[in-house]
Amino acid sequence: MSTTVKLTPEEIRDLSLKVLSHSGYGPDHAAAIAEMLTTCQLDDCQSHGLFRLFMCAQTMQAGKIDGHAEPVLEPSDNAIVRVDAQGGMSLLAFQKALPVLIEKTRAHGIAAMAINRCFHFSALWPEVESLSSAGLAAMAMVPSHSWVAPAGGTRGSLGTNPLAFSWPRMGKDPFTFDFATSAFARGEIELYKRAGKPLPEGVAIDKDGNPTTDPQAAMDGAMLTFGSYKGSALSIMIELLAGPLIDDLTSLESMEFAEGTGGAPYHGEIIIAFDPNQFSGGKAEANDARAERLFADILDQGARLPSQRRFAARAQNHQRGYAEIPEQLHTDLLALLV
């Protein structure tokens, strides 16, 4: 049985800041990234927590990202918030534009944020949950690199293309989901490779287009979408909404931009927010009860809501004051400081 290391929230954040600063990220970017990683680690999301520091370091080593870029928020008189990340990580741009997105959503009932020219590696649920905590419903989408084959295809044309959604619940954790349209997240395949474990059937093909359960062969070949043609269609939709719609790169173009250097993909992100009170004609409270009846009926059958386990992990880790990570991961992270 593998041993683990216990880290307090402060230790998670401090380790993140040290690695990020050592890698070349300025204090503002390091703080934004560290906040995201701490949130994910306390939710016991191993694939998007401290493990992602390797990708952050690799992205800087690839030489394309600007670790000191200052995002530029463009003025607008409509419901679209545009923020140019200026070739930096997306998180600082999101933080800068978030108050404006909330303000515009409350003014118009619906608003959207377009983040352009950003590198992106992170989970989307902290972003949509920052909106549901403000009483707004929200969804977010990004492309990635063309690691994923379309249904019926033999090579990567699509990204892992995650879709996240969060619905505010009065006095309760929000209803949130965040999943890749690929059958597996890229980070999960990397974790399977680190653990020396075979992948489940049906999530990847090798470079010759044959099914594979070998993580390395999957990374050399292509991943598959979930749900065959349905997942493939959703993935293409995300390519369009988070690419051409906002004047940014598709996953194919992001892969070309990388020129084989590795690291986080470079592209854009779209976040759409909805004001339940305006959409319901001022009846948000009554309609919250309607939503709660639906949730209660689902739970009454013995089913669970998305993110229930994550919220339980969050509560447990906050209560005990630490999260656990594999000891080998901790050792490998400390090596990034050498």
Side-chain angles (χ1 to χ4, degrees):
M1 184 175 181
S2 61
T3 56
T4 61
V5 174
K6 299 175 181 177
L7 297 175
T8 66
E10 294 74 20
E11 289 171 332
I12 295 170
R13 188 174 292 105
D14 183 61
L15 176 57
S16 299
L17 288 171
K18 286 180 178 177
V19 171
L20 292 163
S21 298
H22 184 77
S23 298
Y25 292 90
D28 291 342
H29 279 283
I33 296 169
E35 180 179 339
M36 169 69 73
L37 296 179
T38 303
T39 297
C40 293
Q41 196 63 60
L42 289 173
D43 281 5
D44 277 354
C45 181
Q46 301 296 340
S47 64
H48 284 76
L50 288 171
F51 173 70
R52 287 285 160 156
L53 285 169
F54 296 112
M55 177 172 277
C56 292
Q58 185 184 27
T59 303
M60 187 61 69
Q61 291 164 5
K64 290 181 177 287
I65 192 171
D66 183 350
H68 297 266
E70 180 64 32
V72 175
L73 183 61
E74 300 179 12
S76 72
D77 55 5
N78 57 26
I80 300 171
V81 182
R82 297 186 65 88
V83 56
D84 187 339
Q86 299 278 305
M89 282 292 186
S90 64
L91 298 173
L92 190 60
F94 174 81
Q95 285 186 355
K96 184 168 187 174
L98 178 61
V100 181
L101 177 62
I102 292 173
E103 178 186 350
K104 285 184 178 291
T105 305
R106 288 179 173 152
H108 299 284
I110 184 171
M113 179 195 300
I115 303 175
N116 291 112
R117 298 205 301 153
C118 68
F119 289 83
H120 189 278
F121 74 93
S122 50
L124 295 176
W125 81 75
E127 297 181 354
V128 291
E129 285 185 1
S130 66
L131 288 157
S132 60
S133 68
L136 306 175
M139 61 174 62
M141 291 165 272
V142 289
S144 58
H145 279 341
S146 51
W147 291 313
V148 182
T154 58
R155 66 176 184 272
S157 297
L158 308 171
T160 53
N161 294 8
L163 169 66
F165 173 79
S166 192
W167 173 269
R169 301 173 67 189
M170 294 182 181
K172 298 181 180 179
D173 290 323
F175 170 87
T176 304
F177 67 76
D178 179 359
F179 56 74
T181 47
S182 55
F184 243 45
R186 186 77 171 180
E188 290 288 344
I189 291 181
E190 292 170 355
L191 288 176
Y192 269 69
K193 180 184 174 183
R194 286 177 62 87
K197 294 165 52 180
L199 298 171
E201 299 280 352
V203 303
I205 54 178
D206 63 21
K207 58 184 176 60
D208 298 316
N210 300 312
T212 185
T213 58
D214 179 76
Q216 186 59 56
M219 294 175 75
D220 293 337
M223 303 157 68
L224 299 175
T225 61
F226 77 83
S228 186
Y229 289 94
K230 294 180 180 180
S232 187
L234 276 176
S235 185
I236 296 168
M237 178 195 75
I238 292 168
E239 291 281 347
L240 298 174
L241 292 180
L245 179 71
I246 63 170
D247 187 33
D248 221 306
L249 305 185
T250 65
S251 296
L252 277 170
E253 293 168 328
S254 177
M255 185 76 91
E256 291 167 356
F257 175 86
E259 298 177 313
T261 55
Y266 177 74
H267 47 66
E269 177 181 0
I270 186 168
I271 303 103
I272 306 170
F274 312 83
D275 184 349
N277 202 49
Q278 288 210 47
F279 270 92
S280 65
K283 300 176 182 177
E285 188 169 343
N287 284 285
D288 178 73
R290 182 172 284 119
E292 288 303 316
R293 182 185 176 191
L294 170 62
F295 297 144
D297 194 65
I298 292 168
L299 294 170
D300 184 60
Q301 302 175 52
R304 67 179 181 87
L305 299 177
S307 293
Q308 264 187 244
R309 286 187 289 202
R310 183 168 59 80
F311 291 138
R314 179 188 299 177
Q316 179 189 32
N317 289 336
H318 277 292
Q319 181 177 14
R320 66 187 185 179
Y322 65 84
E324 294 183 87
I325 67 170
E327 184 179 37
Q328 186 59 55
L329 173 60
H330 188 246
T331 299
D332 292 345
L333 288 171
L334 292 178
L336 293 176
L337 297 173
V338 177

